[in-house]
């Protein structure tokens, strides 16, 4: 699984919320389970100020079927709002896919 693209912007008209989008692709020859995603927001010193782990049901917005997977060459699009009120300001971010 590879994260091909991602973006993080302040949600329009929603102070304290960000809009997180990402595209993941299965570069393998076999189907892959949906990974867990970790989003880290960092300050100007590249220190993590907020970290959020998202399981597939959160970023897909629905439950995954028993036999559902990402097919070879398949893509998954993530589009979700995340609450940040009361958190320290961030100047950068990173996202990774992993299997716990």
């Amino acid at each position: 699984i590879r994260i091909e693209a991602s973006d993080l912007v302040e949600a329009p008209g929603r102070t304290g919320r960000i809009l997180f989008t990402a595209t993941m692709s299965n570069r393998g020859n076999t189907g892959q389970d949906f990974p867990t995603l970790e989003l880290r927001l960092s300050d100007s010193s590249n220190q993590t100020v907020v970290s959020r782990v998202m399981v597939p049901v959160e970023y897909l917005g629905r439950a995954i079927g028993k036999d559902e997977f990402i097919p070879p060459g398949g893509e998954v699009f993530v589009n979700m709002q995340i609450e940040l009120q009361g958190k320290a300001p961030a100047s950068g971010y990173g996202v990774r896919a992993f299997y716990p």
Side-chain angles (χ1 to χ4, degrees):
I1 297 295
R2 181 178 187 163
I3 297 175
E4 300 291 342
S6 66
D7 196 21
L8 194 66
V9 296
E10 189 171 21
R14 302 293 305 259
T15 303
R17 285 186 176 253
I18 56 172
L19 178 60
F20 170 63
T21 58
T23 303
M24 294 184 290
S25 66
N26 178 358
R27 296 280 186 113
N29 295 326
T30 61
Q32 297 289 319
D33 290 333
F34 289 86
T36 297
L37 296 179
E38 180 182 30
L39 175 64
R40 291 185 188 177
L41 304 182
S42 58
D43 63 16
S44 58
S45 300
N46 204 27
Q47 298 299 309
T48 300
V49 293
V50 177
S51 178
R52 167 99 186 260
V53 173
M54 298 163 283
V55 295
V57 69
E58 290 178 278
Y59 64 78
L60 294 175
R62 62 177 176 79
I64 298 172
K66 179 183 173 188
D67 296 325
E68 188 177 0
F69 57 87
I70 305 170
E75 291 186 324
V76 175
F77 302 100
V78 176
N79 185 359
M80 65 185 293
Q81 285 192 22
I82 300 171
E83 185 77 31
L84 286 182
Q85 291 182 354
K87 306 292 185 202
S91 59
Y93 78 97
V95 62
R96 72 180 180 114
F98 69 100
Y99 294 93

